Amino acid sequence: MMQHRWVALVTLLALLTYFWMGLQTGGARRKSGISAPAMTGDPLLERTIRAHYNTLEWLPMFLVSLWLFAIYWSELVAAGLGVVWIVGRIMYQTGYVRAAEKREAGFIVQALAVAVLLFGALGKIGWSLATGGA
């Protein structure tokens, strides 16, 4: 497994980013005075929760694609794209917390990173199956 240490590091950084977003949600709860389990009532809280939850929605697609791309194509390219995804998620979260319409740039960055990872892995696996493992 030592050959995948860069992708392992990026995986942990992605999870730490998600953890940081959870802390941001807690901070927004304190600022708004709205305790769990309530999730509405303050626009800042609602945007912070939504950014955090949207990251959770993307994590399975990102993590599986990241690892499959690393295995079938290149660990370093996968790790680099993983860093791009993390930057995109941070841009998305910070933009969304400021105003919902400011989340778009971060969304596009992270979505493109996942698209390359996903379709790159899918293409390589499909090619391998079609050519008998080449």
Side-chain angles (χ1 to χ4, degrees):
M1 288 304 290
M2 289 301 288
Q3 74 252 22
H4 296 301
R5 62 183 173 256
W6 289 109
V7 173
L9 178 61
V10 169
T11 298
L12 293 172
L13 291 174
L15 295 176
L16 286 171
T17 301
Y18 182 70
F19 180 75
W20 168 77
M21 289 180 182
L23 295 175
Q24 299 302 304
T25 299
R29 282 193 180 283
R30 279 189 299 283
K31 282 182 184 177
S32 68
I34 299 173
S35 299
M39 297 183 62
T40 60
D42 180 74
L44 174 65
L45 175 63
E46 292 171 13
R47 290 191 309 271
T48 306
I49 288 172
R50 189 64 205 123
H52 185 223
Y53 196 78
N54 185 265
T55 300
L56 178 62
E57 294 166 350
W58 277 85
L59 269 172
M61 190 168 18
F62 165 68
L63 291 173
V64 171
S65 299
L66 174 75
W67 279 92
L68 290 173
F69 190 99
I71 291 165
Y72 287 95
W73 275 110
S74 164
E75 178 194 9
L76 290 178
V77 173
L81 288 165
V83 170
V84 170
W85 184 84
I86 291 168
V87 169
R89 290 315 305 180
I90 292 169
M91 290 170 56
Y92 178 86
Q93 197 271 351
T94 56
Y96 205 165
V97 167
R98 283 195 305 267
E101 60 274 3
K102 294 186 179 191
R103 72 190 190 276
E104 187 174 322
F107 183 86
I108 290 169
V109 168
Q110 66 88 41
L112 289 173
V114 166
V116 172
L117 291 167
L118 175 66
F119 293 111
L122 181 62
K124 183 69 169 191
I125 293 167
W127 179 257
S128 176
L129 290 170
T131 62

